[in-house]
Amino acid sequence: MIFTIAGKELRALFSSPLAWVVLAFLQLTMGWILVTRLDAFLTVQTQLMQMETPPGITEIVIAPIFGAAAVILIMAVPLLSMRLIAEERRNQTMTFLISAPLSMTQIVLGKFVGLYSFLMLSVALILMMAASMYLGGRLDLGLLGTLSLGLALLIAAFAAVGVFFSSLTAQPVVAATATLATLLGLWLLNMSQASPDSPFLMLALIRRYESFTKGLIDTSDIVFLVLFTSVFLILAIRRLDADRLGA
Amino acid sequence: MNTQEDSQTVRATSLSRQFGKRVAVSEVNLTLKRGEVLGFLGPNGAGKTTTMQMLTGNLAPTGGQVEICGIDMLERPTDAKARIGYLPETPPLYRDLTVNEFLQLAGRLHRVAKKSLAGAVDLAKQRCGIADVGQRLIGTLSKGYQQRVGIAQAIIHNPDVVILDEPTVGLDPNQIRDIRALIRELGGAHSVILSTHILPEVEQVCDRVQIMHRGSLVFNDTIAGLKQFRGGTLMLGLRKPPSIEALAAISGVASVEPGGGTGGAGMFRIQPHAEVDPTDALVRASADNGWNLFHLAPAASSIEDVFVQLTHREETL
């Protein structure tokens, strides 16, 4: 059932030009960063050779792409997530799903999985770009793995925030704005001058992601991102339940 | 499962719903047997849609209980919902899907087995007369066709209970006839709850009528019972009418109102006494006095009478 809904969401995404525009924009930006980083790598290559343990192409070229992808997705996710529930509300098609023998959990998870599969497609595109580096060198597969895992977890957190705000309103634009504001806020926390052990920094999603970009798998980061995702999904489910109760 | 449970498809007991302080529905009881078509009437804002939303699990009741085929809607919502097909006031249609895609989605979500899905889609399309638009996007269909797609999604999983909220809105007269025939046909094997503003429709397709007013049930009887509710008002048409007093003097006539219904000169609305049928006396008096009788029939709008009487009277109190 979850996958039936997810399939419907994917189809809806691909039948609107928005998804294609976002994918194209993402790919263009990633391609641009790849070319500039590759150029930089080639100019410093001779100096790198003299180092004892030189950073590889994965660290210098691929890692920044993943870093940029996270920032670009902060802007892309709200655009893709805004319609998930808000538009169903506005078009009064929510009744169709609620009247069907589905639990609210299935509805929310279905929508989340649909959006997530789409976003993972963009990760796959980045990975394909990274794989093209194989043409002229070797890749650090371990680092590539942590980068992908980190981005996958980060995207799940973004998508969950998007689903939650979409469940709050019947106006997709309001949902997009709220999602963008929240994600940007959590990003900016990272840039604040607070002391390193400030509780605010704990919430900075990008900071959690940064350890992955260094090739570090920290269980506390994984747990944090999974919990973050779950909390927003549960809030969305509760919100839909509250709709039915009409409190 | 015993026969009692089997024959009763919907049972709602003292269903209530409040929105803040406003009571939308209070203490509504409703039972429906298999193969019965129930007409659900009421003026705007009477609580019809709210009641239907509670029956279909779209809205949780503040009090009371809903059972679908013996399954409690609050305890096992998904099992109960699997037995209901619901067409809300606004048909819930995804405009960028084709009719076929949408019906397949509806079938899958309503637990239609994969191997019987194609057959179910075809049958639903055929029943609703939309077989020739299967490949078209729902957004490009006319309102009438969209309404029929809405009905098709409600019956695709062959539910025990079909709940239709104003299904004939926006249809042309031919389509309305088709849909009414379909509702009658559905009434054979399923139970149907039909909410509508079109009163003759109720008379044509329903077995039983419930009228809601201000959140409460004010009338609940069969169509036959409804016709007797007001003791059969007569419409009388005379080309050379006498004074109203002369008509009122005829035995069996309780009161006479001029005009009424389609109006026109010489039309009278005769309210008979409870025991005496004035029809014969009226014909005789017309023949004797040369009133040129041209119309004598039971008032056609009997549901309307009951409806207006029940829902308007209380408003003026």
Side-chain angles (χ1 to χ4, degrees):
Chain A
M1 285 299 161
I2 290 177
F3 292 102
T4 310
I5 301 179
K8 167 185 109 55
E9 293 308 329
L10 264 183
R11 193 198 294 265
L13 275 173
F14 278 116
S15 64
S16 80
L18 181 69
W20 295 101
V21 170
V22 168
L23 273 188
F25 174 72
L26 205 64
Q27 199 64 0
L28 184 75
T29 325
M30 298 297 129
W32 177 254
I33 295 169
L34 178 82
V35 168
T36 48
R37 296 301 298 186
L38 199 59
D39 198 37
F41 178 74
L42 290 175
T43 45
V44 297
Q45 201 175 20
T46 43
Q47 289 139 32
L48 287 175
M49 296 292 240
Q50 291 152 14
M51 287 168 73
E52 212 160 288
T53 51
I57 193 166
T58 318
E59 245 174 303
I60 293 185
V61 180
I62 309 295
I65 296 182
F66 275 82
V71 177
I72 293 173
L73 282 169
I74 285 179
M75 282 157 240
V77 167
L79 291 176
L80 298 168
S81 69
M82 63 179 182
R83 295 171 59 187
L84 285 176
I85 296 171
E87 187 152 278
E88 299 240 17
R89 277 235 182 83
R90 202 172 54 165
N91 295 343
Q92 312 209 359
T93 49
M94 207 60 204
T95 331
F96 175 70
L97 295 178
I98 295 176
S99 307
L102 299 167
S103 64
M104 297 297 171
T105 314
Q106 283 174 316
I107 295 176
V108 169
L109 283 184
K111 290 185 170 286
F112 172 75
V113 170
L115 173 64
Y116 192 59
S117 331
F118 179 85
L119 292 170
M120 286 316 279
L121 188 72
S122 63
V123 176
L125 285 175
I126 298 172
L127 276 176
M128 276 161 68
M129 216 183 273
S132 70
M133 293 296 101
Y134 257 122
L135 292 174
R138 282 188 304 134
L139 287 177
D140 180 347
L141 286 181
L143 181 59
L144 201 59
T146 57
L147 282 170
S148 310
L149 175 68
L151 191 61
L153 288 170
L154 188 71
I155 286 178
F158 287 179
V161 173
V163 169
F164 168 67
F165 280 112
S166 190
S167 77
L168 287 188
T169 164
Q171 306 291 333
V173 177
V174 175
T177 315
T179 310
L180 182 64
T182 308
L183 294 180
L184 272 181
L186 290 173
W187 181 46
L188 290 176
L189 277 183
N190 194 35
M191 299 184 175
S192 65
Q193 298 296 315
S195 65
D197 50 349
S198 149
F200 283 116
L201 283 183
M202 276 185 45
L203 282 171
L205 288 178
I206 294 284
R207 202 180 195 83
R208 301 282 170 178
Y209 176 56
E210 267 167 5
S211 60
F212 288 101
T213 61
K214 291 172 194 140
L216 207 65
I217 295 182
D218 186 339
T219 41
S220 76
D221 291 336
I222 295 181
V223 169
F224 175 83
L225 287 171
V226 170
L227 274 180
F228 187 93
T229 308
S230 318
V231 164
F232 275 95
L233 289 181
I234 290 167
L235 285 175
I237 294 167
R238 306 265 319 174
R239 172 64 225 189
L240 287 190
D241 267 327
D243 259 5
R244 204 170 53 86
L245 297 170
Chain B
M1 196 184 278
N2 61 40
T3 46
Q4 173 78 25
E5 274 176 344
D6 196 43
S7 63
Q8 248 182 29
T9 48
V10 180
R11 205 171 61 135
T13 28
S14 58
L15 210 55
S16 303
R17 174 73 214 195
Q18 294 182 340
F19 291 105
K21 277 193 177 157
R22 199 171 65 81
V23 179
V25 173
S26 79
E27 299 288 322
V28 166
N29 292 305
L30 194 154
T31 54
L32 194 59
K33 291 198 235 10
R34 190 171 296 277
E36 203 175 27
V37 181
L38 171 70
F40 211 43
L41 299 176
N44 291 323
K48 299 189 300 283
T49 299
T50 309
T51 307
M52 291 189 153
Q53 282 176 339
M54 288 194 283
L55 291 177
T56 55
N58 274 273
L59 200 63
T62 0
Q65 203 185 13
V66 178
E67 270 180 27
I68 307 293
C69 302
I71 301 170
D72 193 297
M73 176 58 83
L74 294 175
E75 280 167 22
R76 288 162 61 200
T78 51
D79 290 334
K81 283 175 187 174
R83 291 159 187 272
I84 300 180
Y86 177 41
L87 172 69
E89 233 171 333
T90 324
L93 303 172
Y94 295 109
R95 299 174 60 84
D96 36 2
L97 293 185
T98 67
V99 173
N100 284 339
E101 285 169 345
F102 176 67
L103 292 179
Q104 276 162 15
L105 176 69
R108 275 204 298 271
L109 290 180
H110 283 97
R111 303 178 177 174
V112 176
K114 209 164 209 165
K115 58 178 189 292
S116 49
L117 187 59
V121 170
D122 284 342
L123 182 66
K125 281 196 300 185
Q126 185 210 324
R127 282 178 124 179
C128 300
I130 47 173
D132 48 338
V133 295
Q135 300 297 330
R136 286 189 42 196
L137 288 177
I138 292 173
T140 66
L141 295 176
S142 69
K143 176 86 176 75
Y145 270 102
Q146 290 186 355
Q147 191 73 29
R148 291 200 253 174
V149 175
I151 298 174
Q153 64 84 24
I155 61 171
I156 190 154
H157 52 298
N158 206 11
D160 294 314
V161 184
V162 181
I163 297 180
L164 305 170
D165 203 345
E166 303 190 12
T168 51
V169 167
L171 300 181
D172 69 40
N174 289 330
Q175 293 171 334
I176 289 180
R177 282 178 56 128
D178 292 348
I179 293 302
R180 284 180 189 163
L182 174 67
I183 293 170
R184 274 258 57 112
E185 188 192 322
L186 288 172
H190 316 259
S191 307
V192 182
I193 299 180
L194 173 74
S195 129
T196 181
H197 286 302
I198 307 164
L199 299 169
E201 188 167 286
V202 175
E203 214 158 355
Q204 281 176 27
V205 303
C206 298
D207 304 311
R208 211 146 56 80
V209 183
Q210 297 203 334
I211 299 179
M212 276 191 89
H213 183 54
R214 295 192 174 172
S216 319
L217 221 50
V218 291
F219 182 85
N220 178 11
D221 206 342
T222 59
I223 289 285
L226 183 124
K227 280 180 178 162
Q228 284 162 11
F229 184 74
R230 216 189 166 189
T233 306
L234 288 172
M235 293 303 289
L236 176 71
L238 301 170
R239 284 201 213 287
K240 295 177 186 165
S243 65
I244 286 188
E245 289 74 25
L247 283 173
I250 295 169
S251 75
V253 175
S255 66
V256 180
E257 292 167 38
T262 46
M267 292 300 283
F268 296 92
R269 181 180 278 268
I270 309 275
Q271 183 67 44
H273 277 300
E275 298 88 28
V276 194
D277 185 357
T279 315
D280 196 42
L282 282 169
V283 175
R284 194 163 307 180
S286 169
D288 290 350
N289 301 317
W291 290 341
N292 281 16
L293 176 75
F294 69 93
H295 181 94
L296 179 62
S301 51
S302 58
I303 293 190
E304 192 175 320
D305 288 343
V306 177
F307 184 83
V308 169
Q309 199 183 340
L310 285 171
T311 59
H312 194 69
R313 182 191 56 198
E314 290 178 29
E315 220 133 304
T316 51
L317 280 178

